[in-house]
Amino acid sequence: MDDWDTVTKIGSKTKGSAAQRETVVRGKGALNAAARSGTIIGTEKKFAVGNAASKPGVEGQRLTKVDRADDIVAPPKMDAKIGGLISARRSDPDGPYKMTQSDLAKKINVDVAKIKKLESPGPNDVLDGAVLSKVEKALNMRFRGAKAGQPFFPPK
């Protein structure tokens, strides 16, 4: 019989000897029974569980970039300018945000070592966006982007 003469019926109501439908096996006993009968078994693991797939974050975008790149993609590095802005804002003698590193760490509920690392980053330190956003809110100043060094809410 020629390929031009065959008819392919699509749907669940097809009659005749169609190929076996794909089924989902639940349980180890059903999996073992399928293996004994000689059927082809394929296993897949679901990674996006619950609402994780519906709420993508910035890290997911970065991981997509890493997946699509052919070479190694380095994480974003700390800019030394950020540390200078933080320490200047924190140690301004006339400003309302004058506080020590430990006071700032207590206020935003992080370890003092993270504040020290933000203020004096090493050459290979990776930017911790969560801590930096907390510091930005506590000191009312932007430390990233084109408006770095400007307050979120300027005085009227």
Side-chain angles (χ1 to χ4, degrees):
M1 184 175 247
D2 204 9
D3 281 340
W4 292 101
D5 296 331
T6 59
V7 177
T8 303
K9 295 181 182 179
I10 300 173
S12 62
K13 303 288 184 191
T14 59
K15 293 185 171 59
S17 61
Q20 286 186 343
R21 296 185 71 184
E22 186 176 309
T23 58
V24 177
V25 176
R26 300 186 194 279
K28 201 164 192 164
L31 183 67
N32 288 337
R36 281 193 302 271
S37 69
T39 57
I40 299 171
I41 300 172
T43 58
E44 296 177 11
K45 184 172 174 99
K46 292 183 180 178
F47 289 103
V49 179
N51 290 335
S54 65
K55 299 177 184 174
V58 178
E59 186 62 21
Q61 293 173 355
R62 194 183 98 63
L63 291 177
T64 302
K65 179 182 173 186
V66 170
D67 279 347
R68 291 183 181 161
D70 292 336
D71 54 340
I72 298 172
V73 177
K77 300 287 185 206
M78 280 282 298
D79 190 8
K81 177 177 79 169
I82 294 173
L85 288 171
I86 292 172
S87 62
R89 180 73 164 188
R90 190 182 51 75
S91 61
D92 184 19
D94 299 329
Y97 302 102
K98 179 167 176 46
M99 60 182 84
T100 63
Q101 286 181 344
S102 60
D103 292 340
L104 179 60
K106 239 182 251 174
K107 186 173 184 177
I108 64 171
N109 198 22
V110 296
D111 194 24
V112 181
K114 291 192 177 192
I115 302 296
K116 289 181 182 179
K117 189 176 265 192
L118 275 177
E119 287 192 5
S120 58
N124 294 326
D125 284 347
V126 177
L127 179 66
D128 190 354
V131 175
L132 187 59
S133 65
K134 287 181 180 181
V135 171
E136 284 179 329
K137 289 176 186 171
L139 297 179
N140 186 26
M141 182 180 271
R142 292 185 167 105
F143 298 118
R144 299 177 269 198
K147 295 183 178 181
Q150 296 178 3
F152 277 114
F153 307 106
K156 293 183 179 181

